[in-house]
Amino acid sequence: MTITIFLGSLLGAMALGVPIAFALLICGVALMYHLDMFDAQIIAQNVINGADSFPLMAVPFFLLAGEIMNAGGLSKRIVNIALAMVGHVHGGLGYVAILASCLLASLSGSAVADSAALAALLVPMMTAAGHNKERSCGLIAAGGIIAPIIPPSIGFVIFGVASGLSISKLFLAGIFPGLLMGIGLAIAWTIVARRDDVKPLPRKSAKEIVATIVDGAWAMMLPVIIIVGLKFGVFTPTEAAVVAAVYSLIIAVFVYKELKPKDVYAVFVQAATTTAVVMFLVAAAMVSAWLITVADLPGELIALLEPFMDNPTLLLIVIMLVVVAVGTAMDMTPTILILTPVLMPVVKQAGIDPIYFGVLFIMNNAIGLITPPVGTVLNVVAGVGKISISDLMRGVWPFLMAQLAVLFALVAFPVLVTGPAKWFAS
Amino acid sequence: MSSSEAPVSVVTKIVDGYFRFLKFVIALCLAIMVVLVFGNVFLRYAFNSGISVSEEVSRWFFVWMTFLGALVAMREHGHLGVDAFVMRLSPFGKRVCLILGQTLIAYVCWLLLVGSWDQTVINLDVKAPTSGWSMAWFYGTGIVFAVTGGLITLHNLYRALFCKLGEHELVQVKESEEIHGEHANTQGEPALRAVAGGKH
Amino acid sequence: AARDLKLAMQTNPGTAQYDGVEKFAALVKEKSGGSLTVKIFGGGALGGDLQVVSSLQGGTVELSQMNASLLNGLAKEFSVLDFPFLFDNEKEAHAIMDGPIGKKLMDKLPEKGIVGLAYPELGFRHISNNKRAVKKVEDLAGLKIRVIQTPVYVDMMNALGANATPLPFPEVYNALEQKAVDGATNPLVTIPVMKFDEVQKYLTLTRHQYNPQIIIMSKKAWDKLTPAEQKIIQESANEARDFERQVSAKKNAEALEYLKKKLEVTELSAEEMAKMREKVKPVIEKYTKELGEPFVKEVYAEVAKVRGAK
Ligand code: NA
Ligand code: NA
């Protein structure tokens, strides 16, 4: 019964075109009536306390770092490194895009920022070299979603806070699965692009390669700082994020000199506004999460899922299919916020490793960013690459299939996540 | 938006000024958070010391940034939503949905106002553990948000009821976090801004 | 009809504190013949401690149990409970908390919308680290010790010569494992529960702070109860407190046995304890001024009385 009220009020409000954050608050009001505990303070208390979190401060800091990296020339140099290294092999620009996706992913926490930067820098090059435009844009969209899997990751931060899991552990567990996504894309690209008649870029001389790497070294230091800092407990994820922001600001303003001091204000306003949109959603989700807890809605769900509880793999497959379905229509952040409080108790009850589940869940949500009809990353790449959404959908599907294959390989072989996670953590 | 109403009224000027001010405040909040948190890390490793209020105070600025920024996004229709259903409706259907939706939002703002008011009063002489500041400053965020958000919503409702909206304004949510801000009207532009550093 | 009372706390099952509230819930149900039920929400499911206090004041959550000194935002006198070396042993601590001082503190709560019921315990804190056995005060010099981000804790640890490093609790294991900090201060039970013994080598039984907990109720909810029901709640809280202290003592003793096998455990000599007390004196003086001298004096006088009575 509570599930009906929860879903009915939430989806009903969303269908009216109410922003999801307000739909979550309306859902909270409906649950309060249903539980016969109406009190306006419950809303105010939870929404305000929902934004009051030190771990979540990683969100504005990573967003700020991403803004600065794109505006300050760090992202561009990362792409140049990838170009110098694999630009000359057959179909090389595709591998450049994949390598650059993985490298950028280790600097930025947001799929949207990465795919926008990659599309702007690489689509013109790829089409000029003779690659099919739909396919190039599709590859870049699918590469962009590696960003939330390889740390840093805003998705992991929000999931970690919503589930009470260690964000550092989630970060370290995401590294290898993120690389697997890159490998999956490389295989798909090799298959679909083998017949493309393209001229590879001329091989760069060793001197040029060294020069490019030296030029980009300042940018490439950043992932080293973040991963080493987290691995050795030098700082918390929030502190890692602020270090990333300050470091990229210094490099962009004083070393690369591509970010003028007068542009810094605009960058801060933009990062603050984007953060507010994400955080208001997070805060509003705390209201419904509080009432879900009081009503013991996960208990109801566990009863519903009883037939699957003895078989974790089957349960995981069911959950993953549900998340894929939700992801077709919903953006990453709201999906994480709405499903985490409902699913985590189920996952724990079934004896599934929560960190392992977190990696799969976030990867699934990231894939949702490139599934039609609503795919944020599709919208961004279509906008930047100047291509229609329907053309892009045609181009993205082989890579979408590759990412789904990686996801379900991880469902089948949990050790692919847990093994490397243990190695990184030790 | 309403460029046809030739002379810009004093009210519009005040409202625009208020939101420009909010943008300045949220950028300032973010800058203070950076200084406090980074300062703490720096002091810890360079001098084995720290700013003991850093954690608590930076969280409070974070809360203020969230709610003031959410107001800016509210005015610019920047909050995430799903428009798949309303997009299929006739202009009349869209208008009905908009009126229903805005009424619900206005009700939520009212509840937020009442609830935050109660909590602010309760916490007037409760002190925060580290800074010693009154917790009313914390819960007061809700009052500011509810009043401003309520006014934005009532204004939307007024325009929806008395036919002052163009058809494109009848759907007020965006599908993605990406496309918001006052320049986000053309398809290519928001994405270009993303590359230029305007985006996350 | 049965009434549900929500009890919010940060602690998870498996601890003496959780056992205590479970006992409380069972007692309330039994004594009221099922007309009152207490539903426990552990692990911070209904919000952090400060949010829960505010919820109790507003009446949206009915009950909670937390460290008593966290109420110092409502009445600054609660800070005295954080004073280092205030109590020597549990017996003293229990006598003070159950006596006039504990009552005086509770009496400050109703005007803030809260009713204090009883003081169970988290217990004495001790210092662990992975650098060296701390046998003298001087051995603490330069050690990075994790503390709660509360000024008294920071000042006290620095006064002892260590470097206080405030960190949120969930990050402590990682920080110890990766040697970002050298040590931490915890009640004995917490060390095996959080697996800190895996990443620490030395434990010194400093007993430098005693954390009493407090069972509190929303005054709005309290006022809705009949006098008979209020009596049931109060009696259940008292019995649950006594039960919790027994469990706590048992678990601490077990934890110590276990830790002796895992870590090098050091008892401090009376002389070294005296040196530590001397070192923290300026800290106590500083916070005495903030809290108001008469009250602090009263507390110490009461402690002296209890100590003398033995
Ligand atoms: Na990333
Ligand atoms: Na999608």
Side-chain angles (χ1 to χ4, degrees):
Chain A
M1 182 56 195
T2 315
I3 293 181
T4 320
I5 304 274
F6 172 70
L7 287 178
S9 56
L10 181 64
L11 298 179
M14 276 164 63
L16 289 175
V18 170
I20 300 171
F22 282 100
L24 281 161
L25 295 176
I26 291 164
C27 169
V29 176
L31 284 171
M32 284 197 316
Y33 275 117
H34 170 62
L35 297 170
D36 193 22
M37 52 185 303
F38 191 86
D39 191 330
Q41 288 179 87
I42 292 178
I43 303 203
Q45 262 245 322
N46 285 292
V47 85
I48 297 167
N49 280 286
D52 175 34
S53 153
F54 191 74
L56 280 173
M57 279 169 55
V59 173
F61 295 151
F62 278 134
L63 287 174
L64 181 63
E67 298 273 350
I68 295 168
M69 285 188 286
N70 283 353
L74 280 79
S75 306
K76 192 173 74 190
R77 283 170 175 82
I78 298 284
V79 173
N80 285 343
I81 291 180
L83 269 171
M85 286 168 75
V86 290
H88 58 276
V89 299
H90 180 77
L93 282 169
Y95 303 116
V96 168
I98 296 163
L99 181 60
S101 301
C102 293
L103 292 176
L104 262 191
S106 67
L107 278 88
S108 146
S110 149
V112 165
D114 280 17
S115 34
L118 288 167
L121 296 166
L122 284 172
V123 168
M125 266 188 236
M126 291 176 86
T127 46
H131 285 295
N132 171 311
K133 185 168 183 180
E134 296 166 9
R135 206 177 288 145
S136 307
C137 288
L139 177 68
I140 282 168
I145 64 164
I146 299 175
I149 316 304
I150 294 181
S153 156
I154 287 166
F156 279 142
V157 170
I158 292 173
F159 174 74
V161 169
S163 64
L165 294 171
S166 156
I167 296 165
S168 299
K169 276 190 187 158
L170 287 165
F171 273 14
L172 295 174
I175 298 175
F176 186 71
L179 295 175
L180 281 183
M181 291 171 84
I183 293 170
L185 287 183
I187 294 171
W189 176 256
T190 310
I191 297 169
V192 301
R194 67 179 182 274
R195 279 191 304 260
D196 278 8
D197 180 26
V198 293
K199 254 204 249 90
L201 296 177
R203 181 188 280 273
K204 293 256 164 79
S205 70
K207 210 172 147 191
E208 284 171 306
I209 295 179
V210 170
T212 315
I213 291 177
V214 168
D215 188 36
W218 287 106
M220 283 312 299
M221 275 297 291
L222 192 51
V224 177
I225 296 174
I226 293 173
I227 291 177
V228 169
L230 287 177
K231 182 170 157 44
F232 293 101
V234 177
F235 26 66
T236 62
T238 304
E239 293 172 342
V242 82
V243 168
V246 171
Y247 179 83
S248 46
L249 186 65
I250 291 171
I251 299 299
V253 175
F254 297 107
V255 180
Y256 294 156
K257 300 194 173 96
E258 291 192 20
L259 189 66
K260 300 277 164 289
K262 68 173 165 46
D263 301 329
V264 172
Y265 176 69
V267 165
F268 270 74
V269 171
Q270 190 58 46
T273 321
T274 312
T275 302
V277 170
V278 174
M279 279 303 300
F280 184 57
L281 200 51
V282 171
M286 293 303 166
V287 177
S288 51
W290 195 91
L291 288 150
I292 285 172
T293 309
V294 170
D296 195 22
L297 190 141
E300 266 184 48
L301 192 66
I302 288 171
L304 273 178
L305 290 172
E306 198 57 60
F308 303 111
M309 291 305 279
D310 295 334
N311 187 338
T313 311
L314 193 59
L315 176 70
L316 207 50
I317 292 174
V318 171
I319 293 179
M320 285 301 128
L321 290 174
V322 170
V323 177
V324 170
V326 173
T328 57
M330 255 191 359
D331 205 334
M332 187 162 178
T333 310
T335 311
I336 297 173
L337 289 166
I338 292 168
L339 292 185
T340 303
V342 184
L343 289 181
M344 274 324 278
V346 180
V347 166
K348 282 185 185 157
Q349 173 106 3
I352 299 170
D353 176 4
I355 298 281
Y356 163 70
F357 173 77
V359 172
L360 263 56
F361 181 55
I362 298 302
M363 187 183 287
N364 200 335
N365 273 300
I367 291 173
L369 296 171
I370 56 168
T371 56
V374 180
T376 306
V377 166
L378 290 182
N379 295 344
V380 171
V381 173
V384 183
K386 304 201 173 58
I387 176 174
S388 79
I389 289 276
S390 50
D391 285 348
L392 179 55
M393 283 175 190
R394 255 200 312 282
V396 82
W397 80 263
F399 308 112
L400 173 61
M401 288 300 134
Q403 305 290 46
L404 284 170
V406 171
L407 176 70
F408 282 95
L410 298 184
V411 172
F413 306 105
V415 68
L416 289 173
V417 180
T418 53
K422 222 175 262 163
W423 185 80
F424 274 113
S426 66
Chain B
M1 286 211 182
S2 38
S3 53
S4 53
E5 295 161 31
V8 182
S9 72
V10 182
V11 178
T12 313
K13 267 188 190 161
I14 292 173
V15 172
D16 284 347
Y18 177 60
F19 281 94
R20 249 199 319 277
F21 172 70
L22 288 186
K23 281 187 183 178
F24 170 75
V25 174
I26 60 173
L28 188 67
C29 285
L30 182 54
I32 293 172
M33 286 157 58
V34 169
V35 169
L36 284 173
V37 179
F38 184 78
N40 211 23
V41 181
F42 181 76
L43 289 175
R44 187 162 80 230
Y45 287 99
F47 302 103
N48 261 326
S49 70
I51 321 164
S52 62
V53 296
S54 152
E55 204 241 351
E56 184 176 284
V57 173
S58 58
R59 277 193 284 114
W60 284 27
F61 279 103
F62 187 32
V63 172
W64 276 94
M65 183 180 91
T66 296
F67 289 98
L68 297 184
L71 288 172
V72 172
M74 222 174 144
R75 180 159 189 256
E76 294 173 356
H77 307 313
H79 283 292
L80 298 188
V82 175
D83 59 10
F85 175 72
V86 279
M87 277 308 202
R88 280 160 220 260
L89 299 178
S90 65
F92 176 77
K94 280 181 187 159
R95 190 180 298 271
V96 171
C97 281
L98 181 62
I99 291 168
L100 278 175
Q102 296 292 317
T103 309
L104 286 172
I105 295 176
Y107 176 53
V108 166
C109 286
W110 167 249
L111 291 179
L112 252 174
L113 176 61
V114 174
S116 321
W117 181 265
D118 287 348
Q119 282 291 314
T120 306
V121 171
I122 284 173
N123 282 285
L124 264 178
D125 52 2
V126 177
K127 292 198 178 77
T130 323
S131 64
W133 294 354
S134 163
M135 291 289 288
W137 285 104
F138 177 75
Y139 285 105
T141 349
I143 299 177
V144 175
F145 178 84
V147 169
T148 311
L151 290 173
I152 294 173
T153 311
L154 290 178
H155 182 236
N156 284 342
L157 256 181
Y158 167 80
R159 300 208 311 158
L161 284 167
F162 300 100
C163 305
K164 292 197 179 175
L165 288 179
E167 203 189 323
H168 66 285
E169 290 178 276
L170 289 171
V171 176
Q172 301 205 330
V173 289
K174 295 290 184 298
E175 294 272 13
S176 88
E177 281 159 36
E178 182 55 17
I179 301 149
H180 65 77
E182 65 270 53
H183 306 300
N185 298 323
T186 59
Q187 209 197 355
E189 208 183 342
L192 284 176
R193 285 205 309 140
V195 180
K199 297 296 187 162
H200 77 98
Chain C
R3 251 167 311 155
D4 274 337
L5 305 171
K6 298 184 285 300
L7 188 150
M9 71 189 304
Q10 305 303 307
T11 324
N12 284 312
T15 55
Q17 293 76 43
Y18 200 93
D19 289 355
V21 295
E22 279 190 324
K23 181 78 175 177
F24 174 67
L27 286 167
V28 170
K29 191 172 178 187
E30 184 197 312
K31 286 176 199 273
S32 69
S35 75
L36 287 176
T37 55
V38 175
K39 205 169 163 199
I40 303 164
F41 295 90
L46 296 189
D49 281 324
L50 293 186
Q51 179 184 349
V52 168
V53 169
S54 206
S55 301
L56 259 60
Q57 291 174 290
T60 56
V61 172
E62 291 79 21
L63 287 155
S64 181
Q65 178 177 318
M66 62 183 63
N67 269 354
S69 64
L70 284 166
L71 298 179
N72 67 1
L74 303 185
K76 62 181 188 219
E77 288 83 357
F78 275 92
S79 285
V80 80
L81 301 174
D82 280 334
F83 276 23
F85 303 108
L86 179 61
F87 305 123
D88 277 351
N89 52 48
E90 281 84 358
K91 215 173 150 193
E92 244 173 65
H94 297 168
I96 297 295
M97 297 318 296
D98 300 345
I101 296 293
K103 179 158 187 322
K104 197 158 189 175
L105 287 171
M106 275 186 189
D107 286 345
K108 303 199 176 289
L109 297 176
E111 61 176 291
K112 305 287 181 180
I114 286 188
V115 176
L117 297 172
Y119 296 103
E121 69 178 14
L122 187 64
F124 279 100
R125 287 177 176 272
H126 308 274
I127 302 177
S128 64
N129 82 94
N130 58 18
K131 275 267 172 79
R132 53 180 170 261
V134 174
K135 294 179 173 153
K136 311 191 296 292
V137 188
E138 292 75 28
D139 295 332
L140 279 171
L143 289 180
K144 280 193 178 178
I145 307 286
R146 179 267 167 178
V147 292
I148 300 171
Q149 197 134 22
T150 301
V152 192
Y153 287 67
V154 176
D155 289 347
M156 185 208 71
M157 201 46 75
N158 286 333
L160 289 174
N163 285 318
T165 310
L167 273 181
F169 191 64
E171 299 293 337
V172 175
Y173 182 88
N174 200 34
L176 289 172
E177 187 185 26
Q178 309 296 349
K179 304 195 167 53
V181 294
D182 304 316
T185 80
N186 286 293
L188 291 173
V189 199
T190 311
I191 300 174
V193 168
M194 295 303 294
K195 300 196 164 59
F196 292 152
D197 52 303
E198 290 174 1
V199 289
Q200 297 278 270
K201 290 200 192 101
Y202 308 99
L203 172 67
T204 305
L205 301 174
T206 50
R207 308 172 77 81
H208 60 277
Q209 262 172 333
Y210 174 85
N211 293 145
Q213 294 227 310
I214 185 167
I215 307 176
I216 46 179
M217 185 160 190
S218 160
K219 189 160 183 303
K220 279 191 184 166
W222 176 259
D223 291 342
K224 281 186 203 143
L225 300 177
T226 64
E229 288 172 328
Q230 289 178 346
K231 195 162 163 259
I232 288 171
I233 297 279
Q234 182 62 63
E235 282 175 5
S236 304
N238 290 349
E239 285 174 44
R241 169 200 66 203
D242 295 341
F243 173 81
E244 195 268 356
R245 285 172 180 173
Q246 280 167 23
V247 178
S248 170
K250 185 165 150 276
K251 290 207 174 193
N252 272 316
E254 284 167 5
L256 186 57
E257 278 313 299
Y258 171 83
L259 290 171
K260 276 183 174 163
K261 287 180 216 142
K262 295 284 216 167
L263 307 174
E264 186 182 327
V265 179
T266 310
E267 282 274 6
L268 280 185
S269 66
E271 187 190 338
E272 286 303 319
M273 288 292 272
K275 259 160 65 188
M276 284 202 180
R277 284 168 198 279
E278 198 56 38
K279 285 221 166 193
V280 299
K281 265 203 175 137
V283 179
I284 292 177
E285 274 162 25
K286 175 178 163 194
Y287 288 97
T288 300
K289 283 199 195 92
E290 282 182 22
L291 292 193
E293 223 147 322
F295 176 72
V296 177
K297 272 197 177 141
E298 198 182 329
V299 173
Y300 276 96
E302 200 55 38
V303 172
K305 211 161 94 190
V306 170
R307 222 166 262 174
K310 275 190 300 192

